[in-house]
Amino acid sequence: MNEAKQMFQDYLKSHPNHSKSIEYIGDIAGNQKQWNEAIEYYQKLKISFPKNANYWYKYGGALGMKAKESNKFKALGMIDEIEESFLTAAKLESKHIETRFALVMLYLELPGIIGGSEKKAQKYADELMRISSVQGFLAQGYIDAYFKRFVQAELNYKKAFEIEPSKITFEKLYDLYLNKRKDKSKASKLKDQFEK
């Protein structure tokens, strides 16, 4: 990972505006939880390419991860910029799935007094449903699980898994069975079914 990062940094010395190299360095920094560095690189990209939804999304995501690891007071000061980044990405690209999922999570985790609400989260879950039924059911399941409506969450995660039995849909349903519903037999039955 560090070798790749060094290679991209060396390339940037002679090609300082090469967007893919800047993005890869930001991605590597993000993978290593070096949020300040990731933010710096993604910020360059969103300034240079203000119409690129993915750069706004990555910038907002890195800011969000930094906020999660910061003290509450510092995190509070970052919320507007995180929200604005995700909303900008959503406006720029009407089918940007990751941004909409990030907005679902953001609005659920924010206290109501600073803009969080299930209604706002639901709006983006509904948008996801129109873009991709699998993503829509995953988002709806996430909302239901967040509010401990585990029966509803199970129905939504099962629908997502039935439509697309992927690693992600499996993990969401498996985690719900094992850790939320504490149903080891359903979890192991699902695992057997998935591993066939």
Side-chain angles (χ1 to χ4, degrees):
M1 194 78 90
N2 285 333
E3 284 175 31
K5 188 175 177 181
Q6 189 59 56
M7 189 178 77
F8 289 122
Q9 285 172 329
D10 290 344
Y11 188 76
L12 278 180
K13 286 175 187 161
S14 53
H15 304 85
N17 298 318
H18 189 256
S19 59
K20 277 291 165 205
S21 295
I22 295 169
E23 183 177 6
Y24 290 142
I25 294 170
D27 293 348
I28 291 167
N31 273 332
Q32 296 174 336
K33 298 184 185 336
Q34 295 167 338
W35 305 123
N36 287 336
E37 187 177 358
I39 289 164
E40 180 188 327
Y41 281 97
Y42 295 145
Q43 187 170 27
K44 280 181 191 173
L45 290 169
K46 80 174 179 84
I47 290 168
S48 299
F49 304 92
K51 301 245 182 279
N52 185 308
N54 213 38
Y55 295 157
W56 282 96
Y57 160 71
K58 287 185 174 192
Y59 177 73
L63 272 177
M65 294 309 294
K66 181 181 177 176
K68 275 189 169 186
E69 292 180 4
S70 301
N71 67 51
K72 284 193 183 350
F73 188 72
K74 189 172 184 179
L76 202 58
M78 300 167 76
I79 289 166
D80 287 346
E81 195 171 357
I82 295 165
E83 182 183 26
E84 182 195 330
S85 297
F86 288 149
L87 290 174
T88 301
K91 277 184 205 135
L92 287 170
E93 197 175 312
S94 63
K95 293 187 174 169
H96 199 278
I97 288 171
E98 297 86 352
T99 293
R100 280 158 181 78
F101 223 105
L103 283 162
V104 168
M105 295 167 73
L106 178 71
Y107 289 130
L108 287 181
E109 292 177 20
L110 280 182
I113 197 163
I114 51 172
S117 84
E118 182 178 1
K119 189 176 176 184
K120 287 181 183 175
Q122 188 63 55
K123 175 185 185 255
Y124 290 99
D126 292 344
E127 284 187 20
L128 281 167
M129 189 65 82
R130 288 190 290 276
I131 297 166
S132 155
S133 56
V134 171
Q135 294 301 323
F137 285 124
L138 286 175
Q140 192 58 58
Y142 184 87
I143 292 170
D144 290 329
Y146 184 86
F147 289 106
K148 296 181 174 37
R149 299 186 299 245
F150 297 136
V151 173
Q152 279 303 112
E154 179 182 355
L155 290 173
N156 284 301
Y157 283 154
K158 274 173 95 169
K159 285 178 188 170
F161 183 73
E162 285 163 10
I163 295 167
E164 186 182 297
S166 66
K167 186 173 187 269
I168 289 171
T169 57
F170 161 75
E171 285 172 352
K172 295 292 179 191
L173 187 54
Y174 183 78
D175 179 64
L176 181 82
Y177 285 150
L178 196 65
N179 299 315
K180 308 278 189 308
R181 302 212 62 188
K182 309 288 185 210
D183 191 332
K184 285 185 179 154
S185 71
K186 272 190 176 179
S188 63
K189 192 173 168 186
L190 178 71
K191 193 174 184 194
D192 292 344
Q193 178 190 344
F194 183 66
E195 289 174 347
K196 276 183 185 173

